[in-house]
Amino acid sequence: MHKSYSFYFLFLLLISQLVGCLATTAPAVTGGPIAYVDRRASEVIYIDQKLEFKTILETQDINEHDNLTFVSFNQIVLITGEVPDEQTKAKVEENVKSIEGVKEVKNFLLIGMNSSLKSKATDVITTSNVVSRLYFNESKFESKLSPLHVKVITERQEVYLMGILNAKEAEDAIEVAKSSKGVKKVIPLFEINDNYQNTY
């Protein structure tokens, strides 16, 4: 969701959103809808998808050369990327906060030059690595953590983790991310809810 990307990246964005929509409606192998594995309400999943587009629209005129990424989970918007100064950083956050439906903003924008294409490509690989390790290690988790509950975002090889987890699940997810290849730092942004402790 980088504003400076070409139509190719916008196409990938649209595909990812379509896949996300399908994941919330398609029947699972067990016969129930896959949406049941997501701890967000169905309407919140839809709101999050809309917010990720609205954030782009509401910030595109601030500085067209900035590298901005927006991810919404449970109506909490994570902002990562680079901007030239503190004033721009504050303006981006202000615009996002003004969008209807946004409950909270996590602003991790850095002041400096935009990441290189090589760095962005490395971030994609790092994200894939963390996600795959969450899946392949699923049976080893004492907490029975489902990787479908964790959203992984990487910027400059720093990994942000979002989701609604209990304390043990969060601990396991952080451990997997920290031990994954290419990860320099892990920033957990989980919503901790221990009501899910015995729901397996």
Side-chain angles (χ1 to χ4, degrees):
M1 293 188 179
H2 302 275
K3 294 193 298 180
S4 56
Y5 279 11
S6 65
F7 287 106
Y8 172 74
F9 291 96
L10 289 176
F11 173 75
L12 290 179
L13 171 63
L14 290 172
I15 293 298
S16 68
Q17 292 298 320
L18 287 173
V19 171
C21 290
L22 288 174
T24 63
T25 58
V29 175
T30 56
I34 291 179
Y36 290 159
V37 303
D38 198 315
R39 290 170 177 171
R40 295 173 293 174
S42 297
E43 60 268 25
V44 174
I45 296 174
Y46 176 66
I47 291 171
D48 282 335
Q49 292 171 345
K50 289 201 303 181
L51 287 178
E52 291 184 353
F53 283 105
K54 286 183 177 180
T55 50
I56 296 174
L57 295 175
E58 292 298 325
T59 58
Q60 62 183 351
D61 295 329
I62 296 177
N63 188 336
E64 63 180 11
H65 301 297
D66 291 339
N67 172 43
L68 305 176
T69 302
F70 305 95
V71 176
S72 180
F73 188 92
N74 210 28
Q75 297 174 255
I76 298 174
V77 178
L78 167 67
I79 312 174
T80 60
E82 302 85 27
V83 288
D85 50 52
E86 289 288 348
Q87 182 179 0
T88 304
K89 178 178 179 178
K91 181 63 175 175
V92 170
E93 180 173 341
E94 178 185 343
N95 282 26
V96 173
K97 282 183 175 179
S98 69
I99 299 173
E100 183 179 359
V102 173
K103 291 183 177 179
E104 186 178 352
V105 174
K106 303 284 188 181
N107 188 350
F108 285 87
L109 286 172
L110 295 177
I111 309 301
M113 296 181 62
N114 290 354
S115 298
S116 65
L117 287 176
K118 181 179 179 180
S119 177
K120 292 172 184 175
T122 301
D123 287 342
V124 171
I125 295 171
T126 300
T127 296
S128 298
N129 186 33
V130 174
V131 171
S132 65
R133 292 189 71 241
L134 283 169
Y135 272 92
F136 288 122
N137 285 283
E138 181 178 5
S139 61
K140 299 180 182 179
F141 296 138
E142 180 184 338
S143 65
K144 299 187 184 300
L145 168 68
S146 169
L148 296 173
H149 295 154
V150 183
K151 192 156 192 172
V152 182
I153 307 98
T154 308
E155 189 79 45
R156 291 178 178 242
Q157 291 77 65
E158 295 185 348
V159 173
Y160 300 82
L161 301 174
M162 304 180 78
I164 305 171
L165 306 180
N166 65 49
K168 180 56 180 170
E169 290 172 334
E171 180 183 328
D172 287 343
I174 293 168
E175 180 182 348
V176 169
K178 283 184 175 180
S179 61
S180 296
K181 184 177 180 181
V183 176
K184 293 182 178 179
K185 183 179 180 181
V186 175
I187 301 96
L189 301 173
F190 296 122
E191 296 176 65
I192 303 300
N193 187 339
D194 284 326
N195 289 331
Y196 291 104
Q197 194 72 39
N198 301 307
T199 59
Y200 303 101

